[in-house]
Amino acid sequence: MKNNIALDAFHYGMGTQISHRVYGSNAKEALNAAQGEAKRLEDLLSRFIPQSDVGRINASAGKVQEKISKETFCVAKSALEFTRLSDGLFNAAIGPLVDLWDYKHSTKPPSKEKIVQVLSLINAEDFEINSAQMTAGLKRKGQSIDFGGIGKGFASDRFIKIFTDYGITSAFSNIGGNVSTLGSKPDGKAWRVGIKHPRQDGLIGAVAVNGKAVVTSGDYERFFIDNLGRRFCHILNPLTGYPARSGLISATVIADSAMTADALSTALFVAGIEKGLEIIKKCDDVQVILIDDILTIYVSKELNQKFDTITDISVRYI
Ligand code: ADP
Ligand code: MG
């Protein structure tokens, strides 16, 4: 097969759609391996699979520590680091609050009393990991971890690693909106990654990247609307117990690692612009595209030549 022929693959995994575009002679084998990896990671990290590492950690909360795989350990360690880095706005132990709001089935917000009660369980310091024993556990019954805001990014990094191991030098991976790129396109041009318009069909812009991850958290894909017309999205503020209302409706992070970009995009969506910029100042080589609720786009100045808007919309470089 010639090197510039694309092979595309599409499948479901980790609760979302996964698509890959891979160039090169081992493309087919690499795609099969990536699909297998998606299944393997879901079986370790899903909260909804009782035998998964995360399922067992949550079921054993307040009782025992569970043996975990090195992959789960790696995600858990990073989740705790991003929890610290964001002063708990990204929160590894957000599980009980996610369950309470249950955006998939809810039609109205939970009562204030219930929120207060559940908030008392959200404390990432109660999530302990032990590298010598390869175990993890939660101190109190009712607590749970949730890697919904970081796991797909981890998977994305693994796909790129697999492609590299198969000798691939040009690939594009998209797992539920978490995009990762390997190298440039085969013609040497940068990949252009579309940024969805948060309030209309189609794109608001696109960013050119080589070998980077581009991950967005927004309020427009997973949410419910109550009978008063209020929108409640799936990203929650662990300080208030309510869906994040930071003024941002879309937060995109561009970084070398998709896991970093995934966790930070969730954190920034909760933090808002001001606090969000403080958080990314602590990280090396991370850029952002932030959209607020009046559709102003704030773009890192490093992306000046790399970001284009599709519509006539105002961009402020920061
Ligand atoms: P998506 O999964 O839609 O791409 P995110 O990466 O932002 O979006 O992850 C959102 C998911 O992360 C939620 O569905 C939930 O499982 C979890 N989550 C919600 N709020 C937080 C938070 N403050 N910190 C960490 N994880 C969160
Ligand atoms: Mg995320």
Side-chain angles (χ1 to χ4, degrees), residues 90 148-150 178 215-217 261-266:
F90 175 94
I150 189 169
N178 290 239
V215 181
T216 303
S217 288
D262 191 3
L264 285 178
S265 68
T266 306

Side-chain angles (χ1 to χ4, degrees), residues 172-217:
F172 183 97
S173 159
N174 184 348
I175 166 162
N178 290 239
V179 169
S180 269
T181 61
L182 172 59
S184 56
K185 289 200 283 189
D187 63 5
K189 290 195 181 131
W191 298 100
R192 285 188 86 236
V193 180
I195 308 297
K196 280 195 181 163
H197 194 300
R199 292 292 179 264
Q200 289 170 20
D201 284 341
L203 303 179
I204 202 165
V207 61
V209 291
N210 289 307
K212 298 232 172 212
V214 182
V215 181
T216 303
S217 288

Side-chain angles (χ1 to χ4, degrees), residues 47-48 83 86 88-95 97-98 103 146-152 175-178 215-218 221-222 234-238 244 261-263 265-267 269-270:
R47 236 152 57 82
F48 309 109
T83 302
S86 66
L89 295 179
F90 175 94
N91 200 305
I94 192 103
L97 201 57
V98 174
Y103 77 93
D146 179 320
F147 293 154
I150 189 169
K152 292 193 286 292
I175 166 162
N178 290 239
V215 181
T216 303
S217 288
E221 250 156 31
R222 305 181 196 216
H234 72 312
I235 303 173
L236 305 166
N237 184 330
D262 191 3
S265 68
T266 306
F269 185 87
V270 181

